[in-house]
Each structure stands twice: as C-alpha cells, then as structure tokens.
Amino acid sequence: MARFYALVARLHRESFDPQRAAALEVEWWRVHRAHQHGGADRHDLVDALRALYSYVYSVSEEDVRVAAEQRTLAMDHCDRWVQEGCDPESPLIAAEQAALVRSYAGLLAAVHRL
C-alpha cells in the first residue's frame, strides 16, 4: 500500500506521507472486516474512511462525511449481496452503485471546496 501511495503522491505532486496513508487504508479494511462480522459498528467504518479521505485529500473530516457514509452504505449493500448468494438480478447491485456514485460525488464536492 505504501508503494501505491508513494506513486500517487509522486505522480500528482501530493505532500502526504505514503506510510501514513497506507496505514489509514489498511485500517479501514480492518474495520470493514470487523464490521462485516459484528465486531465494529458502521460508525467505526465511517470514521476510518473519513480519516483516510481527510488525510489523503487534505480536507476536514467533516467535509468527507457524506463520502464516507455513502461508501460504508455501498459496502453494506455489497456484503449483504454476497451473504444472499450473489444474485446478478438483486436490487442490491443498483443500490450499491447508487451509493458509490453518491460517495464519489461527495469526495468531489469536498475537494472542490478548497
């Protein structure tokens, strides 16, 4: 992950520390796994995503709240879709897509507030 973030920082002339960004990335994955299995609530996952987004995009955690909440909702839809057997006709697919679009729109809005 650190190599990925080092590449991103170099290509886009970002000033964040790749090691810190990688640690935040791994943390939200860890919290997601805990959330999937009942060891963390959705607010923990939202907070982990807010921390990553805030750090990488150099914005406040409040500015990326919507993005993190919608990304968490998308993960919830995806996890449920898998639990229910991965039906390609499931309405959860469209729900996940809609939440992802709202998440990315939220990130875009946060970055453009700069």
Side-chain angles (χ1 to χ4, degrees), residues 19-45:
Q19 294 292 334
R20 175 78 177 130
L24 291 167
E25 178 85 23
V26 170
E27 177 62 7
W28 85 253
W29 278 96
R30 185 196 68 74
V31 174
H32 174 234
R33 290 292 178 235
H35 174 61
Q36 275 182 307
H37 302 291
D41 69 24
R42 72 181 325 274
H43 299 291
D44 296 330
L45 184 50

Side-chain angles (χ1 to χ4, degrees), residues 43-83:
H43 299 291
D44 296 330
L45 184 50
V46 168
D47 289 347
L49 287 165
R50 286 174 62 203
L52 172 66
Y53 294 163
S54 172
Y55 183 72
V56 170
Y57 295 106
S58 299
V59 296
S60 76
E61 287 194 21
E62 189 56 36
D63 286 344
V64 292
R65 177 182 297 280
V66 169
E69 288 172 343
Q70 291 301 308
R71 182 66 176 95
T72 297
L73 180 60
M75 283 186 259
D76 287 344
H77 291 316
C78 181
D79 294 342
R80 185 169 157 215
W81 179 73
V82 169
Q83 287 175 338

